[in-house]
Amino acid sequence: MTGSEPARRVGTSVMGQHTPRALFPAASLPDSRVSIGVLALQGDVREHCLALEAAGARAVAVRSAAQLAGADGARVDGLVLPGGESTTMGKLLASFGMLEPVRALVRDGMAVYGSCAGMIMLADRVQGAASGQPLIGGIDMTVRRNAFGRQVDSYEEDLVAPTLGANEERPLRAVFIRAPWVEEVGEGVEVLATTRSGRAGADRPGTGGRIVAVRQGPLLATSFHPEVGSDHRVHDVFVEMVRHRS
């Protein structure tokens, strides 16, 4: 070997051609988000799922009692009962064998949120309910069904809702579609939001602010549809409730 000849590397191995990170990539981290089921029998299922994801949760469309029980390996830490038609929702829950399992989850303390028809389903007492209408119950309140009038009476309004983060600079806009309102609540129920005007359908003139959002323990209910639009403050509150219970 002459002094001008470059040094020859001996024993070059595959290990020398790759970094240890490339050979042994780090395992992906487990999904640490709470998993919240959205009852997918009717109503704004997709909209609720998107709002929950925006609020930092993992959303799961739930269509069977087996999913509620986590039989497919996907846990459910909380549950959303979306809007729709409460009589139909009750019948579907019963026909799919889900009514008693959901009632049991409520009794066992699972965090559950009901919007519009979901609020009716979570009420202990309902005015204007159909004869034999299946309910879930759990919130000590009396709800008036279709209190704001028919479909043509649907409207939007900024709520009085400081607990939900609403103020003059950032009001909470609510969408009411054939919505109920809360006539009365028990001592253990926290009122989260009321209307400003008490507006109702033509056959029920407004007489002041109406209760449209409540919470009792791990149960949350609104008569409006917060999944409509881009304001996810109600879902933020519910996701925190689920985290607290998980």
Side-chain angles (χ1 to χ4, degrees):
M1 180 183 295
T2 66
S4 61
E5 184 179 353
R8 187 187 301 272
R9 297 184 63 185
V10 180
T12 302
S13 66
V14 174
M15 192 70 176
Q17 300 173 17
H18 300 278
T19 65
R21 183 179 297 276
L23 289 173
F24 306 103
S28 58
L29 295 175
D31 192 339
S32 60
R33 297 174 297 171
V34 291
S35 179
I36 299 179
V38 180
L39 185 67
L41 302 182
Q42 63 166 191
D44 291 344
V45 177
R46 177 178 178 273
E47 290 78 3
H48 272 294
C49 287
L50 290 173
L52 289 169
E53 294 278 348
R58 185 171 70 91
V60 180
V62 173
R63 299 181 176 86
S64 69
Q67 282 182 286
L68 283 174
D72 59 353
R75 73 184 192 280
V76 175
D77 302 312
L79 182 66
V80 172
L81 307 176
E85 205 287 316
S86 59
T87 305
T88 302
M89 185 179 294
K91 290 179 179 179
L92 289 172
L93 280 168
S95 64
F96 278 81
M98 299 177 70
L99 184 61
E100 289 304 324
V102 173
R103 285 173 173 168
L105 291 175
V106 170
R107 289 194 301 268
D108 292 343
M110 173 176 278
V112 179
Y113 164 47
S115 64
C116 198
M119 168 183 265
I120 296 171
M121 296 299 295
L122 288 176
D124 284 346
R125 300 169 298 278
V126 177
Q127 295 181 0
S131 177
Q133 178 176 342
L135 299 172
I136 296 167
I139 299 181
D140 183 11
M141 64 180 175
T142 301
V143 169
R144 180 185 291 275
R145 201 167 165 269
N146 295 335
F148 284 95
R150 297 174 297 172
Q151 192 82 14
V152 295
D153 298 307
S154 301
Y155 80 108
E156 299 181 18
E157 179 181 346
D158 291 343
L159 301 180
V160 179
T163 305
L164 296 175
N167 51 46
E168 293 300 325
E169 290 74 28
R170 194 182 175 211
L172 182 62
R173 191 75 171 171
V175 177
F176 295 92
I177 305 172
R178 292 186 63 192
W181 68 45
V182 180
E183 289 280 351
E184 61 180 8
V185 298
E187 292 184 1
V189 179
E190 178 187 6
V191 175
L192 301 180
T194 63
T195 60
R196 296 177 184 272
S197 65
R199 172 176 170 170
D203 58 337
R204 298 190 184 97
T207 57
R210 298 293 185 176
I211 300 172
V212 293
V214 297
R215 176 169 53 191
Q216 183 175 14
L219 304 179
L220 174 69
T222 66
S223 63
F224 54 95
H225 291 265
E227 73 279 6
V228 177
S230 59
D231 191 331
H232 304 310
R233 277 175 284 183
V234 172
H235 290 83
D236 289 340
V237 168
F238 182 61
V239 169
E240 283 303 313
M241 290 170 61
V242 176
R243 288 192 182 116
H244 180 71
R245 306 292 298 184
S246 300

